Amino acid sequence: MAQGAGDVPVVYLHDIKRQYVQGETTLTILDGAKLALWAGQSVALVAPSGSGKSTLLHIAGLLESPDDGEVYVGGTATSGLSDVERTQIRRTDIGFVYQSHRLLPEFTALENVMLPQMIRGLKRSETVKRATEILAYLGLGDRIKHRPAELSGGEQQRVAIARAVANAPKVLLADEPTGNLDPHTADHVFRALMQLVKATQVGMLIATHNMELAGRMDRRVSLEAGRVIELD
Ligand code: ADP
Ligand code: MG
């Protein structure tokens, strides 16, 4: 794990505050949350439902803005950036995996993995090559022409992972990625994620309720009173 002097985290959350106002009440979800995520490191975010895990991941992934604090991606402060610039960073540096696969149903596995690369402007032939390689790497070499409905839950989730890493992001954020899977399939998908961290040196933050999986990651954190705390 790269953490030498002079290195910067792939994502650094500094004093993040996030509130939701609903009618008369203000819910403070994050309140001074700090977290450094390093290249090649897998971090489990384990906290009760409703404690702000998804909120933290969305903020780290530039999908949502904090009310206060700063999100640094690869050392770059993002709060002053335009929407276009933030979108650009999201496309090139950040991969996101959700609990449900969110694949496009009318496209094949291959096309689903090609799309983020095409949006980024890569040549079609290049995206075919790269998408085929990633899918094969994740054990889906004989499933590339299948549509999501023709794949098992674990296969769908591995395609979603392939899509998330298609642009070789620095950061992989996964929100309960194995939450809908049976234990055996969850283990398979989890191993695929861990394998990617080692192979690509992406920094990975996974929100999970699965303590067994969390125990196999490099580091465990939780949320308490709106702050990130280290477990162990
Ligand atoms: P977790 O992922 O840990 O279950 P979330 O980050 O989804 O938690 O939500 C944290 C809290 O913030 C919950 O109490 C939720 O109801 C509230 N919340 C999340 N999103 C919104 C929103 N868009 N508007 C109002 N409240 C929200
Ligand atoms: Mg959640």
Side-chain angles (χ1 to χ4, degrees), residues 24-79:
E24 306 279 278
T25 51
T26 299
L27 282 172
T28 300
I29 307 302
L30 299 174
D31 192 9
K34 281 194 185 71
L35 176 70
L37 178 64
W38 296 91
Q41 187 181 52
S42 57
V43 180
L45 174 58
V46 191
S49 191
S51 58
K53 299 183 298 299
S54 296
T55 302
L56 187 89
L57 288 178
H58 291 160
I59 288 172
L62 309 185
L63 295 164
E64 201 175 313
S65 292
D67 298 307
D68 201 2
E70 184 63 84
V71 181
Y72 296 88
V73 179
T76 302
T78 58
S79 64

Side-chain angles (χ1 to χ4, degrees), residues 44-54 176 206-211 214 221-224 227 229 231:
L45 174 58
V46 191
S49 191
S51 58
K53 299 183 298 299
S54 296
E176 306 196 32
I206 304 188
T208 182
H209 287 290
N210 189 321
M211 286 309 290
V221 299
S222 188
L223 286 165
E224 207 171 87
R227 287 170 189 243
I229 56 161
L231 299 176

